[in-house]
Amino acid sequence: QVILTESGGGLAQTGGSLALSCLASGLDFFRYTVGWFRQAPGKEREFIATIRWGGEVTNYAGAVKGRFTVSRDDPEHSVYLQMNALKSEDTAVYYCVAYKWPETYGSTAPEDYDWGRGTQVIVAL
């Protein structure tokens, strides 16, 4: 089974920064697109960012482009999300995700990913 474990969530101020980490197991990590979704209270799950196998291609939601950076470290089986210039609307549970099929990518649909349990991010006004 694919296990994705997030860490690094917490409280930040508007305009501040926070870094999230995710440790993956149960898959050949280097072969998979990995990334992040989030879900705010009362809202649908929202795509945030992905990074493809090989680490050369990234994809970002418009709401976070230019502020968030996704990266990966294949030997450590880890994916990261550096969040800068935080806004109150970034408050959400952030989920680490892995695409269900190796060495391919064609969707930002939540059902096409395996999910971690999430880590809470709160951005204070």
Side-chain angles (χ1 to χ4, degrees), residues 98-125:
Y99 202 60
K100 288 184 177 179
W101 302 275
E103 297 179 349
T104 188
Y105 179 78
S107 176
T108 57
E111 62 268 25
D112 289 338
Y113 293 85
D114 290 310
W115 291 67
R117 288 188 169 187
T119 185
Q120 177 70 244
V121 170
I122 299 173
V123 182
L125 293 171

PDB file of all heavy atoms in Angstrom, residues 98-125:
ATOM      1  N   ALA A  98       0.220  11.154  -4.527  1.00  0.00           N
ATOM      2  CA  ALA A  98       1.010  10.475  -5.549  1.00  0.00           C
ATOM      3  C   ALA A  98       0.075   9.981  -6.638  1.00  0.00           C
ATOM      4  O   ALA A  98      -0.957   9.374  -6.337  1.00  0.00           O
ATOM      5  CB  ALA A  98       1.790   9.310  -4.952  1.00  0.00           C
ATOM      6  N   TYR A  99       0.432  10.245  -7.882  1.00  0.00           N
ATOM      7  CA  TYR A  99      -0.364   9.770  -9.004  1.00  0.00           C
ATOM      8  C   TYR A  99      -0.401   8.247  -8.999  1.00  0.00           C
ATOM      9  O   TYR A  99       0.593   7.592  -8.672  1.00  0.00           O
ATOM     10  CB  TYR A  99       0.208  10.289 -10.316  1.00  0.00           C
ATOM     11  CG  TYR A  99      -0.755  10.314 -11.476  1.00  0.00           C
ATOM     12  CD1 TYR A  99      -1.917  11.069 -11.416  1.00  0.00           C
ATOM     13  CD2 TYR A  99      -0.492   9.600 -12.636  1.00  0.00           C
ATOM     14  CE1 TYR A  99      -2.798  11.102 -12.489  1.00  0.00           C
ATOM     15  CE2 TYR A  99      -1.364   9.635 -13.709  1.00  0.00           C
ATOM     16  CZ  TYR A  99      -2.522  10.385 -13.631  1.00  0.00           C
ATOM     17  OH  TYR A  99      -3.392  10.421 -14.693  1.00  0.00           O
ATOM     18  N   LYS A 100      -1.530   7.676  -9.385  1.00  0.00           N
ATOM     19  CA  LYS A 100      -1.743   6.240  -9.221  1.00  0.00           C
ATOM     20  C   LYS A 100      -0.961   5.376 -10.204  1.00  0.00           C
ATOM     21  O   LYS A 100      -0.835   4.172  -9.976  1.00  0.00           O
ATOM     22  CB  LYS A 100      -3.232   5.914  -9.343  1.00  0.00           C
ATOM     23  CG  LYS A 100      -4.052   6.363  -8.145  1.00  0.00           C
ATOM     24  CD  LYS A 100      -5.495   5.939  -8.283  1.00  0.00           C
ATOM     25  CE  LYS A 100      -6.297   6.316  -7.051  1.00  0.00           C
ATOM     26  NZ  LYS A 100      -7.724   5.918  -7.190  1.00  0.00           N
ATOM     27  N   TRP A 101      -0.426   5.970 -11.267  1.00  0.00           N
ATOM     28  CA  TRP A 101       0.272   5.201 -12.292  1.00  0.00           C
ATOM     29  C   TRP A 101       1.653   5.786 -12.538  1.00  0.00           C
ATOM     30  O   TRP A 101       1.818   6.999 -12.587  1.00  0.00           O
ATOM     31  CB  TRP A 101      -0.536   5.180 -13.594  1.00  0.00           C
ATOM     32  CG  TRP A 101      -1.891   4.622 -13.375  1.00  0.00           C
ATOM     33  CD1 TRP A 101      -2.256   3.306 -13.382  1.00  0.00           C
ATOM     34  CD2 TRP A 101      -3.078   5.369 -13.087  1.00  0.00           C
ATOM     35  NE1 TRP A 101      -3.607   3.188 -13.113  1.00  0.00           N
ATOM     36  CE2 TRP A 101      -4.132   4.434 -12.931  1.00  0.00           C
ATOM     37  CE3 TRP A 101      -3.356   6.730 -12.943  1.00  0.00           C
ATOM     38  CZ2 TRP A 101      -5.434   4.827 -12.645  1.00  0.00           C
ATOM     39  CZ3 TRP A 101      -4.654   7.119 -12.654  1.00  0.00           C
ATOM     40  CH2 TRP A 101      -5.674   6.168 -12.512  1.00  0.00           C
ATOM     41  N   PRO A 102       2.672   4.922 -12.695  1.00  0.00           N
ATOM     42  CA  PRO A 102       4.039   5.419 -12.823  1.00  0.00           C
ATOM     43  C   PRO A 102       4.356   5.967 -14.208  1.00  0.00           C
ATOM     44  O   PRO A 102       3.780   5.535 -15.216  1.00  0.00           O
ATOM     45  CB  PRO A 102       4.883   4.178 -12.526  1.00  0.00           C
ATOM     46  CG  PRO A 102       4.037   3.039 -13.009  1.00  0.00           C
ATOM     47  CD  PRO A 102       2.612   3.444 -12.696  1.00  0.00           C
ATOM     48  N   GLU A 103       5.260   6.917 -14.232  1.00  0.00           N
ATOM     49  CA  GLU A 103       5.837   7.482 -15.458  1.00  0.00           C
ATOM     50  C   GLU A 103       4.773   7.908 -16.457  1.00  0.00           C
ATOM     51  O   GLU A 103       4.903   7.705 -17.671  1.00  0.00           O
ATOM     52  CB  GLU A 103       6.836   6.495 -16.067  1.00  0.00           C
ATOM     53  CG  GLU A 103       8.007   6.229 -15.138  1.00  0.00           C
ATOM     54  CD  GLU A 103       9.011   5.250 -15.688  1.00  0.00           C
ATOM     55  OE1 GLU A 103       8.725   4.597 -16.711  1.00  0.00           O
ATOM     56  OE2 GLU A 103      10.096   5.142 -15.083  1.00  0.00           O
ATOM     57  N   THR A 104       3.727   8.495 -15.949  1.00  0.00           N
ATOM     58  CA  THR A 104       2.684   9.078 -16.770  1.00  0.00           C
ATOM     59  C   THR A 104       1.963  10.123 -15.942  1.00  0.00           C
ATOM     60  O   THR A 104       2.029  10.121 -14.708  1.00  0.00           O
ATOM     61  CB  THR A 104       1.696   8.012 -17.282  1.00  0.00           C
ATOM     62  OG1 THR A 104       0.806   8.614 -18.240  1.00  0.00           O
ATOM     63  CG2 THR A 104       0.884   7.424 -16.143  1.00  0.00           C
ATOM     64  N   TYR A 105       1.282  11.034 -16.611  1.00  0.00           N
ATOM     65  CA  TYR A 105       0.542  12.083 -15.935  1.00  0.00           C
ATOM     66  C   TYR A 105      -0.460  12.666 -16.916  1.00  0.00           C
ATOM     67  O   TYR A 105      -0.107  12.996 -18.050  1.00  0.00           O
ATOM     68  CB  TYR A 105       1.455  13.190 -15.420  1.00  0.00           C
ATOM     69  CG  TYR A 105       0.707  14.301 -14.734  1.00  0.00           C
ATOM     70  CD1 TYR A 105       0.237  14.149 -13.438  1.00  0.00           C
ATOM     71  CD2 TYR A 105       0.460  15.503 -15.388  1.00  0.00           C
ATOM     72  CE1 TYR A 105      -0.466  15.162 -12.807  1.00  0.00           C
ATOM     73  CE2 TYR A 105      -0.247  16.518 -14.764  1.00  0.00           C
ATOM     74  CZ  TYR A 105      -0.707  16.342 -13.470  1.00  0.00           C
ATOM     75  OH  TYR A 105      -1.399  17.351 -12.856  1.00  0.00           O
ATOM     76  N   GLY A 106      -1.695  12.791 -16.464  1.00  0.00           N
ATOM     77  CA  GLY A 106      -2.700  13.344 -17.365  1.00  0.00           C
ATOM     78  C   GLY A 106      -3.893  13.967 -16.686  1.00  0.00           C
ATOM     79  O   GLY A 106      -4.907  14.230 -17.325  1.00  0.00           O
ATOM     80  N   SER A 107      -3.777  14.236 -15.358  1.00  0.00           N
ATOM     81  CA  SER A 107      -4.953  14.668 -14.634  1.00  0.00           C
ATOM     82  C   SER A 107      -4.577  15.433 -13.374  1.00  0.00           C
ATOM     83  O   SER A 107      -3.533  15.184 -12.773  1.00  0.00           O
ATOM     84  CB  SER A 107      -5.800  13.450 -14.240  1.00  0.00           C
ATOM     85  OG  SER A 107      -6.906  13.820 -13.462  1.00  0.00           O
ATOM     86  N   THR A 108      -5.444  16.370 -12.990  1.00  0.00           N
ATOM     87  CA  THR A 108      -5.400  16.965 -11.658  1.00  0.00           C
ATOM     88  C   THR A 108      -6.632  16.571 -10.842  1.00  0.00           C
ATOM     89  O   THR A 108      -6.933  17.208  -9.838  1.00  0.00           O
ATOM     90  CB  THR A 108      -5.288  18.496 -11.729  1.00  0.00           C
ATOM     91  OG1 THR A 108      -6.383  19.029 -12.484  1.00  0.00           O
ATOM     92  CG2 THR A 108      -3.980  18.917 -12.385  1.00  0.00           C
ATOM     93  N   ALA A 109      -7.316  15.525 -11.266  1.00  0.00           N
ATOM     94  CA  ALA A 109      -8.502  15.061 -10.564  1.00  0.00           C
ATOM     95  C   ALA A 109      -8.116  14.337  -9.283  1.00  0.00           C
ATOM     96  O   ALA A 109      -7.240  13.467  -9.305  1.00  0.00           O
ATOM     97  CB  ALA A 109      -9.319  14.139 -11.453  1.00  0.00           C
ATOM     98  N   PRO A 110      -8.759  14.653  -8.157  1.00  0.00           N
ATOM     99  CA  PRO A 110      -8.380  14.019  -6.888  1.00  0.00           C
ATOM    100  C   PRO A 110      -8.449  12.500  -6.905  1.00  0.00           C
ATOM    101  O   PRO A 110      -7.631  11.848  -6.250  1.00  0.00           O
ATOM    102  CB  PRO A 110      -9.399  14.603  -5.896  1.00  0.00           C
ATOM    103  CG  PRO A 110      -9.800  15.910  -6.492  1.00  0.00           C
ATOM    104  CD  PRO A 110      -9.785  15.689  -7.984  1.00  0.00           C
ATOM    105  N   GLU A 111      -9.402  11.929  -7.640  1.00  0.00           N
ATOM    106  CA  GLU A 111      -9.570  10.485  -7.644  1.00  0.00           C
ATOM    107  C   GLU A 111      -8.453   9.741  -8.352  1.00  0.00           C
ATOM    108  O   GLU A 111      -8.363   8.511  -8.245  1.00  0.00           O
ATOM    109  CB  GLU A 111     -10.928  10.104  -8.268  1.00  0.00           C
ATOM    110  CG  GLU A 111     -11.086  10.519  -9.720  1.00  0.00           C
ATOM    111  CD  GLU A 111     -11.724  11.889  -9.894  1.00  0.00           C
ATOM    112  OE1 GLU A 111     -11.631  12.726  -8.973  1.00  0.00           O
ATOM    113  OE2 GLU A 111     -12.323  12.119 -10.963  1.00  0.00           O
ATOM    114  N   ASP A 112      -7.576  10.443  -9.056  1.00  0.00           N
ATOM    115  CA  ASP A 112      -6.461   9.816  -9.750  1.00  0.00           C
ATOM    116  C   ASP A 112      -5.186   9.773  -8.916  1.00  0.00           C
ATOM    117  O   ASP A 112      -4.129   9.411  -9.432  1.00  0.00           O
ATOM    118  CB  ASP A 112      -6.184  10.533 -11.069  1.00  0.00           C
ATOM    119  CG  ASP A 112      -7.266  10.293 -12.104  1.00  0.00           C
ATOM    120  OD1 ASP A 112      -7.987   9.290 -11.994  1.00  0.00           O
ATOM    121  OD2 ASP A 112      -7.392  11.119 -13.031  1.00  0.00           O
ATOM    122  N   TYR A 113      -5.278  10.094  -7.634  1.00  0.00           N
ATOM    123  CA  TYR A 113      -4.134  10.131  -6.742  1.00  0.00           C
ATOM    124  C   TYR A 113      -4.361   9.299  -5.492  1.00  0.00           C
ATOM    125  O   TYR A 113      -5.493   9.137  -5.030  1.00  0.00           O
ATOM    126  CB  TYR A 113      -3.832  11.575  -6.312  1.00  0.00           C
ATOM    127  CG  TYR A 113      -3.352  12.457  -7.438  1.00  0.00           C
ATOM    128  CD1 TYR A 113      -4.248  13.092  -8.279  1.00  0.00           C
ATOM    129  CD2 TYR A 113      -1.993  12.652  -7.648  1.00  0.00           C
ATOM    130  CE1 TYR A 113      -3.811  13.899  -9.324  1.00  0.00           C
ATOM    131  CE2 TYR A 113      -1.548  13.460  -8.682  1.00  0.00           C
ATOM    132  CZ  TYR A 113      -2.467  14.081  -9.517  1.00  0.00           C
ATOM    133  OH  TYR A 113      -2.013  14.880 -10.535  1.00  0.00           O
ATOM    134  N   ASP A 114      -3.260   8.783  -4.933  1.00  0.00           N
ATOM    135  CA  ASP A 114      -3.247   8.281  -3.568  1.00  0.00           C
ATOM    136  C   ASP A 114      -2.946   9.443  -2.632  1.00  0.00           C
ATOM    137  O   ASP A 114      -2.199  10.359  -2.994  1.00  0.00           O
ATOM    138  CB  ASP A 114      -2.198   7.183  -3.401  1.00  0.00           C
ATOM    139  CG  ASP A 114      -2.590   5.907  -4.115  1.00  0.00           C
ATOM    140  OD1 ASP A 114      -3.726   5.442  -3.925  1.00  0.00           O
ATOM    141  OD2 ASP A 114      -1.758   5.370  -4.870  1.00  0.00           O
ATOM    142  N   TRP A 115      -3.514   9.379  -1.417  1.00  0.00           N
ATOM    143  CA  TRP A 115      -3.517  10.522  -0.507  1.00  0.00           C
ATOM    144  C   TRP A 115      -2.888  10.210   0.838  1.00  0.00           C
ATOM    145  O   TRP A 115      -3.029   9.108   1.365  1.00  0.00           O
ATOM    146  CB  TRP A 115      -4.957  10.988  -0.254  1.00  0.00           C
ATOM    147  CG  TRP A 115      -5.608  11.599  -1.443  1.00  0.00           C
ATOM    148  CD1 TRP A 115      -5.954  10.976  -2.605  1.00  0.00           C
ATOM    149  CD2 TRP A 115      -6.009  12.967  -1.581  1.00  0.00           C
ATOM    150  NE1 TRP A 115      -6.537  11.872  -3.466  1.00  0.00           N
ATOM    151  CE2 TRP A 115      -6.591  13.092  -2.863  1.00  0.00           C
ATOM    152  CE3 TRP A 115      -5.933  14.075  -0.746  1.00  0.00           C
ATOM    153  CZ2 TRP A 115      -7.088  14.309  -3.324  1.00  0.00           C
ATOM    154  CZ3 TRP A 115      -6.430  15.283  -1.201  1.00  0.00           C
ATOM    155  CH2 TRP A 115      -7.002  15.386  -2.482  1.00  0.00           C
ATOM    156  N   GLY A 116      -2.212  11.200   1.398  1.00  0.00           N
ATOM    157  CA  GLY A 116      -1.833  11.155   2.792  1.00  0.00           C
ATOM    158  C   GLY A 116      -2.978  11.591   3.686  1.00  0.00           C
ATOM    159  O   GLY A 116      -4.088  11.874   3.230  1.00  0.00           O
ATOM    160  N   ARG A 117      -2.706  11.658   4.979  1.00  0.00           N
ATOM    161  CA  ARG A 117      -3.740  12.033   5.943  1.00  0.00           C
ATOM    162  C   ARG A 117      -3.897  13.531   6.109  1.00  0.00           C
ATOM    163  O   ARG A 117      -4.918  13.983   6.618  1.00  0.00           O
ATOM    164  CB  ARG A 117      -3.448  11.399   7.295  1.00  0.00           C
ATOM    165  CG  ARG A 117      -3.685   9.901   7.332  1.00  0.00           C
ATOM    166  CD  ARG A 117      -3.566   9.370   8.737  1.00  0.00           C
ATOM    167  NE  ARG A 117      -4.045   7.991   8.837  1.00  0.00           N
ATOM    168  CZ  ARG A 117      -4.172   7.337   9.965  1.00  0.00           C
ATOM    169  NH1 ARG A 117      -3.855   7.921  11.115  1.00  0.00           N
ATOM    170  NH2 ARG A 117      -4.608   6.091   9.961  1.00  0.00           N
ATOM    171  N   GLY A 118      -2.920  14.301   5.713  1.00  0.00           N
ATOM    172  CA  GLY A 118      -3.014  15.749   5.748  1.00  0.00           C
ATOM    173  C   GLY A 118      -2.319  16.379   6.934  1.00  0.00           C
ATOM    174  O   GLY A 118      -2.111  15.749   7.966  1.00  0.00           O
ATOM    175  N   THR A 119      -1.962  17.643   6.769  1.00  0.00           N
ATOM    176  CA  THR A 119      -1.393  18.450   7.840  1.00  0.00           C
ATOM    177  C   THR A 119      -2.026  19.838   7.790  1.00  0.00           C
ATOM    178  O   THR A 119      -2.203  20.420   6.723  1.00  0.00           O
ATOM    179  CB  THR A 119       0.148  18.522   7.727  1.00  0.00           C
ATOM    180  OG1 THR A 119       0.681  19.213   8.859  1.00  0.00           O
ATOM    181  CG2 THR A 119       0.598  19.211   6.450  1.00  0.00           C
ATOM    182  N   GLN A 120      -2.405  20.353   8.949  1.00  0.00           N
ATOM    183  CA  GLN A 120      -3.140  21.612   9.028  1.00  0.00           C
ATOM    184  C   GLN A 120      -2.202  22.797   8.885  1.00  0.00           C
ATOM    185  O   GLN A 120      -1.146  22.857   9.531  1.00  0.00           O
ATOM    186  CB  GLN A 120      -3.886  21.705  10.363  1.00  0.00           C
ATOM    187  CG  GLN A 120      -4.628  23.019  10.581  1.00  0.00           C
ATOM    188  CD  GLN A 120      -5.825  23.172   9.673  1.00  0.00           C
ATOM    189  OE1 GLN A 120      -5.878  24.073   8.826  1.00  0.00           O
ATOM    190  NE2 GLN A 120      -6.799  22.278   9.817  1.00  0.00           N
ATOM    191  N   VAL A 121      -2.597  23.748   8.044  1.00  0.00           N
ATOM    192  CA  VAL A 121      -1.914  25.025   7.908  1.00  0.00           C
ATOM    193  C   VAL A 121      -2.910  26.124   8.236  1.00  0.00           C
ATOM    194  O   VAL A 121      -3.997  26.181   7.651  1.00  0.00           O
ATOM    195  CB  VAL A 121      -1.348  25.223   6.490  1.00  0.00           C
ATOM    196  CG1 VAL A 121      -0.845  26.655   6.300  1.00  0.00           C
ATOM    197  CG2 VAL A 121      -0.243  24.222   6.220  1.00  0.00           C
ATOM    198  N   ILE A 122      -2.549  26.989   9.169  1.00  0.00           N
ATOM    199  CA  ILE A 122      -3.382  28.127   9.548  1.00  0.00           C
ATOM    200  C   ILE A 122      -2.580  29.400   9.320  1.00  0.00           C
ATOM    201  O   ILE A 122      -1.472  29.539   9.846  1.00  0.00           O
ATOM    202  CB  ILE A 122      -3.837  28.037  11.012  1.00  0.00           C
ATOM    203  CG1 ILE A 122      -4.670  26.774  11.228  1.00  0.00           C
ATOM    204  CG2 ILE A 122      -4.625  29.282  11.404  1.00  0.00           C
ATOM    205  CD1 ILE A 122      -5.029  26.523  12.678  1.00  0.00           C
ATOM    206  N   VAL A 123      -3.146  30.309   8.555  1.00  0.00           N
ATOM    207  CA  VAL A 123      -2.515  31.597   8.300  1.00  0.00           C
ATOM    208  C   VAL A 123      -3.334  32.655   9.008  1.00  0.00           C
ATOM    209  O   VAL A 123      -4.498  32.880   8.670  1.00  0.00           O
ATOM    210  CB  VAL A 123      -2.405  31.897   6.800  1.00  0.00           C
ATOM    211  CG1 VAL A 123      -1.691  33.228   6.582  1.00  0.00           C
ATOM    212  CG2 VAL A 123      -1.673  30.766   6.089  1.00  0.00           C
ATOM    213  N   ALA A 124      -2.742  33.297   9.985  1.00  0.00           N
ATOM    214  CA  ALA A 124      -3.431  34.292  10.791  1.00  0.00           C
ATOM    215  C   ALA A 124      -3.548  35.611  10.036  1.00  0.00           C
ATOM    216  O   ALA A 124      -2.645  36.010   9.300  1.00  0.00           O
ATOM    217  CB  ALA A 124      -2.701  34.515  12.109  1.00  0.00           C
ATOM    218  N   LEU A 125      -4.661  36.287  10.279  1.00  0.00           N
ATOM    219  CA  LEU A 125      -4.858  37.604   9.688  1.00  0.00           C
ATOM    220  C   LEU A 125      -3.970  38.626  10.372  1.00  0.00           C
ATOM    221  O   LEU A 125      -3.591  38.481  11.529  1.00  0.00           O
ATOM    222  CB  LEU A 125      -6.327  38.022   9.797  1.00  0.00           C
ATOM    223  CG  LEU A 125      -7.319  37.210   8.969  1.00  0.00           C
ATOM    224  CD1 LEU A 125      -8.734  37.590   9.331  1.00  0.00           C
ATOM    225  CD2 LEU A 125      -7.058  37.424   7.481  1.00  0.00           C
TER     226      LEU A 125
END
